[in-house]
Structures are given as structure tokens and as C-alpha cells.
Amino acid sequence: MARHSPPNLHRKTRAVREPKLGITIYCEGGNTEPDYFRRFAQEHGNRLVEVEIIGPAGVPMTLVRKAVQEAKRRRRKQRNSFEERDQIWVAFDADEHPNVPEAIRMAEEHQVSVAFSNPCFEIWGIVHLVDFEFNKPLHRHEAQRLLKTLMPKYDPHGAKVFDYPLLSPRYEAACKQAVNMDRRRTEEGSPAGNPFTSVHLLARLIEASGKPAA
């Protein structure tokens, strides 16, 4: 009878790396959000972040419909294992837009994630720069004026681009404030109510999907 050698349990195997996660972000703004996400992705070594601008009339429902259309197209397409984990996000504000709850609900129903700010994306910039209680609603113009005092390079009447080098070192503090703000709105019985931002969820995903920390 032929004898079989025992399996080599110490044989070296090649490490299997998780496929990179592609992230497509549909933005309503033409400057503020796209510039921030591109620079954030670059800082964190994530080359698979794609920013699509739907505007200037990119109201939330229009934005979500476009993202849902793309999500359906991708699901119909024959995809390989490296694409299966890709995610589509929409980033928009409450501002004074109509049908915001409906837009959020539609996105969730079609597996499109939402980075939502109420009243505006400037809240995400503010939480980097000040330890603020945020115990009362803000109008977007108030938020813009406050950010201008904290970030002199920000022009609320121009491109509205963030001073990214000023924000970058304060990223962790911003995430903590955003989490606290979310918890407070939930405790008040007003989830995602003014003031609120969930941009940290998208930022964390971009960060985690980038190059490993040195």
C-alpha cells in the first residue's frame, strides 16, 4: 500500500489582501464638498475616491436619483470581486431644499449612503475649529458667518472652499463632535435635526480604505 506524506502544515502561503474599496461621491455643491473630499482622499492615500458633481441645480432628490440610477447600472453589470465592495454616496445639505426626508429614504432603500449636513456642509468645518455646544438651530447664513470668523480664508460670498491645511490636524476632534451632535439630536427626538452632520462617516470610510498608516 502506498504511503502518503502528511500535509505540510508549515508551508508558506501568500497573504490575501482585501480588495480596495471604490467610493463614488455625488455632491450637490460645485466647490466646497468636492474640494474637501478630494483633498481628504489624497491626504489619506485613497486613489479610488471619485467625486461626481451634480449641479448647480443639484437638489437632494435630483442627486439621489442620479446616484440610484448609477447603483442600479452597476448591479446589472457583470462585476468582478474587486468591485463588489464599492460604495456610492451622496453628500448634500438640508439648506432650504424640498423633499429632504424623501431623498434620504430613497437613498437608503437603494443602498446609497448619505453624508448629510443640517443646515449646511459648513457645520463639518466648524466642528473642526471650535468646541461648540450646538444647542440651538442655526441658519446656513449664521453657520457661514461663524465659519468665516474661525477660518479667515473661507469666503461665504465666493467659492466657499475650506482652508484644508487648517482643518486637517483637527480631524479627530471633528469626528468626536459630530458623534456627540448625532447623539444629542437623537436624545432630543430629532434625528439629523439642526445642527447635525454625518460627514464623519464618509470620512472614516475614505480613511480606512486608504493606505495603511506608517
Side-chain angles (χ1 to χ4, degrees), residues 6 14 19 28 31 33 37 53 57 69 74-75 85 87 99 141 159-160 163 165 169 171-172 184 188 201 213:
R14 294 175 61 187
E28 65 168 321
N31 293 311
E33 296 96 325
F37 289 127
I53 301 170
Q69 182 182 17
R74 293 188 186 188
R75 282 194 286 269
R85 298 170 64 246
Q87 293 192 22
N99 305 318
H141 292 155
K160 301 181 182 178
D163 182 355
Y171 166 64
E172 290 296 333
R184 187 171 301 173
E188 294 169 351
L201 301 178

Side-chain angles (χ1 to χ4, degrees), residues 26-214:
Y26 286 83
C27 296
E28 65 168 321
N31 293 311
T32 318
E33 296 96 325
D35 181 78
Y36 175 82
F37 289 127
R38 286 171 180 145
R39 298 185 72 171
F40 185 87
Q42 182 179 23
E43 178 185 3
H44 292 277
N46 192 328
R47 299 181 179 180
L48 295 181
V49 174
E50 180 181 0
V51 179
E52 295 283 345
I53 301 170
I54 308 299
V59 297
M61 189 60 79
T62 302
L63 202 69
V64 169
R65 284 174 178 155
K66 182 71 174 179
V68 167
Q69 182 182 17
E70 175 62 14
K72 289 180 177 179
R73 186 194 69 81
R74 293 188 186 188
R75 282 194 286 269
R76 287 195 300 265
K77 181 181 176 184
Q78 183 68 34
R79 312 186 68 211
N80 60 48
S81 60
F82 285 88
E83 294 174 314
E84 288 175 354
R85 298 170 64 246
D86 290 359
Q87 293 192 22
I88 296 178
W89 285 70
V90 288
F92 60 83
D93 304 342
D95 202 349
E96 296 171 1
H97 294 310
N99 305 318
V100 169
E102 292 82 0
I104 293 174
R105 187 159 52 249
M106 177 185 288
E108 293 173 345
E109 289 173 354
H110 291 88
Q111 299 178 322
V112 171
S113 300
V114 180
F116 176 64
S117 298
N118 190 356
C120 55
F121 190 74
E122 280 76 6
I123 290 292
W124 176 239
I126 291 170
V127 296
H128 284 73
L129 302 173
V130 64
D131 185 10
F132 192 63
E133 286 298 322
F134 291 108
N135 55 6
K136 64 177 183 178
L138 289 172
H139 189 275
R140 62 187 175 93
H141 292 155
E142 290 181 281
Q144 290 167 356
R145 285 194 295 268
L146 175 57
L147 184 59
K148 175 63 177 176
T149 66
L150 301 168
M151 183 189 295
K153 291 184 179 180
Y154 169 79
D155 181 4
H157 305 295
K160 301 181 182 178
V161 174
F162 286 175
D163 182 355
Y164 188 82
L166 180 64
L167 298 184
S168 179
R170 298 170 170 85
Y171 166 64
E172 290 296 333
C175 289
K176 289 179 182 178
Q177 287 219 71
V179 170
N180 290 337
M181 196 183 308
D182 182 13
R183 181 173 61 249
R184 187 171 301 173
R185 298 292 86 80
T186 300
E187 290 171 351
E188 294 169 351
S190 180
N194 184 344
F196 172 87
T197 182
S198 62
V199 172
H200 64 291
L201 301 178
L202 175 52
R204 287 297 195 196
L205 180 65
I206 294 172
E207 177 190 11
S209 303
K211 64 184 178 183

Side-chain angles (χ1 to χ4, degrees), residues 4-25:
H4 297 281
S5 300
N8 181 7
L9 300 180
H10 300 285
R11 184 174 55 196
K12 292 183 178 180
T13 59
R14 294 175 61 187
V16 178
R17 297 184 63 185
E18 285 289 321
K20 289 290 186 178
L21 173 65
I23 304 168
T24 302
I25 309 168

